[in-house]
Amino acid sequence: MTSATPPRASVTGALPRLIATDLDGTLLHDDKTVSERTIAALAAAERAGVDVFFVTGRPARWMDVVSAHVHGHGLAICANGAAVVDLHRGRRFVEVSPLPLAAAREVVEALRSAAPGTSFAVERTGGIHYEPHYPPFQRDPAAVTAPAEKLLADDFDPPPGPAPTTLGAGDEVIAAPLGARDAVPVGAPGAVPVGAQGAVPMEAPDAGPPRTVSVVPGASAPGVVAGEIPTAGPGQPVLKLLAHHHEWEPDAFLALARRTAGTLASITRSSPTALLEISGPGVSKAGTLARCCAERGIAPEEVTAFGDMPNDMEMLAWAGISYAMANAHPDVLAVTTGRTASNNEDGVAAVIERLLGA
């Protein structure tokens, strides 16, 4: 299932009130760093009164690289819209839109039947867990390895493990986190060291007391949960189910999955490999961004968005103005109102500079 995307509103040419940008393949360079030019552009936008939202497929634990560069509100949209997190308060979950366990189990059964050899990982609020044959992407030290049926059991209770560490310069990791655009096996061609900006403060010094963030109900996210969200023990919500196949072509695997299980969940992809990201029915970057904008009285035509892969398409179609990166997937190029330079050429910063007259 894909979430309903409102028709794009007319574009006025005024300075946007909000900029929404994907990270991997869009804002970040291929080495997973944020350039000094981009850092300056983001700060200039905020000084001009433009909110900036990072809207990514990454889980909250992989947001260190941009935690120091979100200003004002401190919020980011993670896991393709399944979570809103507060980067000013150590990546605290503000709200989540879970994938129901029963639906996740049905998706597993359907994909195993349609594409034998599919392996799965389960992303919960407390971390990620894997099937034994899931590819050796960068592993979480606290992960449980077990069949998907166990990982998706109602009483699944992962043992407590070490807290994720902040990645620093020289640490060898996959080129992107699980489910993100450039995910590759550790040690494979394309694995790169994290740049010096990979280690940043986890919490801004002026974070202040916890804040209450209202949730605007929307048809695109019928199961939003706010308040105290468990990140340990039983009952951790499932944010994403990941499905990998070693033989299928990525777009063909996505099409197959949507035909087979698209009525059970939202299915998309952001990796160059056959790695699918499966969220709750109707959950998308667009739906969660729309709620965040509604809270601020921001209309779609006042939003400028950037992206590069299929998991960005609904957000790009919703925003009044949208830009595809030069390195974008062909389908993304087809739905955007404009194009910009590649991620490695600071395409997002180039547009922001033009908007601000810099």
Side-chain angles (χ1 to χ4, degrees):
M1 172 183 290
T2 56
S3 59
T5 302
R8 177 180 280 128
S10 60
V11 178
T12 63
L15 191 69
R17 292 184 59 192
L18 186 142
I19 290 171
T21 178
D22 174 50
L23 294 182
D24 296 283
T26 300
L27 189 80
L28 304 183
H29 284 193
D30 285 348
D31 65 0
K32 305 307 165 189
T33 60
V34 189
S35 73
E36 292 298 329
R37 179 186 182 185
T38 295
I39 290 171
L42 294 174
E46 293 281 0
R47 287 195 301 271
V50 180
D51 277 345
V52 177
F53 264 76
F54 302 128
V55 188
T56 178
R58 288 185 172 216
R61 67 182 183 280
W62 285 90
M63 295 298 288
D64 295 354
V65 68
V66 292
S67 291
H69 310 308
V70 61
H71 306 278
H73 57 82
L75 302 180
I77 296 171
C78 296
N80 290 331
V84 177
V85 301
D86 189 339
L87 299 183
H88 284 176
R89 299 196 60 80
R91 302 170 301 184
R92 169 182 169 266
F93 286 100
V94 174
E95 65 169 53
V96 299
S97 301
L99 171 61
L101 290 172
R105 291 190 290 261
E106 287 189 65
V107 171
V108 168
E109 182 178 356
L111 288 183
R112 278 189 179 150
S113 177
T118 301
S119 59
F120 298 92
V122 178
E123 176 77 48
R124 291 179 179 260
T125 50
I128 192 164
H129 308 282
Y130 321 90
E131 287 201 308
H133 299 297
Y134 193 77
F137 296 119
Q138 179 70 19
R139 296 291 177 129
D140 187 321
V144 172
T145 300
E149 288 77 8
K150 178 177 179 179
L151 302 178
L152 294 168
D154 293 334
D155 59 352
F156 177 68
D157 184 6
T165 57
T166 299
L167 300 175
D171 289 342
E172 186 179 74
V173 297
I174 54 173
L178 287 169
R181 182 179 183 274
D182 294 318
V184 296
V186 174
V192 296
V194 174
Q197 297 176 56
V200 297
M202 291 291 294
E203 183 169 338
D206 59 349
R211 293 165 292 157
T212 299
V213 179
S214 61
V215 177
V216 178
S220 63
V224 174
V225 177
E228 292 300 319
I229 297 167
T231 58
Q236 297 175 36
V238 172
L239 300 179
K240 283 199 297 186
L241 177 69
L242 298 166
H244 180 271
H245 203 283
H246 63 286
E247 293 180 349
W248 278 81
E249 188 275 330
D251 284 331
F253 191 37
L254 175 60
L256 172 72
R258 285 177 169 172
R259 290 194 304 270
T260 302
T263 60
L264 301 170
S266 295
I267 306 173
T268 189
R269 77 174 189 89
S270 60
S271 170
T273 67
L275 178 63
L276 305 181
E277 302 165 61
I278 301 163
S279 305
V283 174
S284 71
K285 289 184 176 185
T288 303
L289 178 62
R291 291 201 310 282
C292 290
C293 287
E295 288 180 345
R296 292 160 175 75
I298 297 174
E301 61 267 26
E302 298 175 300
V303 177
T304 295
F306 299 84
D308 72 308
M309 288 296 278
N311 65 328
D312 298 316
M313 288 177 61
E314 291 170 325
M315 175 179 74
L316 296 170
W318 175 81
I321 297 178
S322 57
Y323 287 89
M325 313 306 291
N327 50 285
H329 187 284
D331 290 349
V332 174
L333 295 170
V335 301
T336 51
T337 60
R339 300 186 185 184
T340 186
S342 73
N343 62 314
N344 287 327
E345 297 172 316
D346 297 324
V348 174
V351 172
I352 293 176
E353 290 164 357
R354 289 200 302 271
L355 289 172
L356 300 178

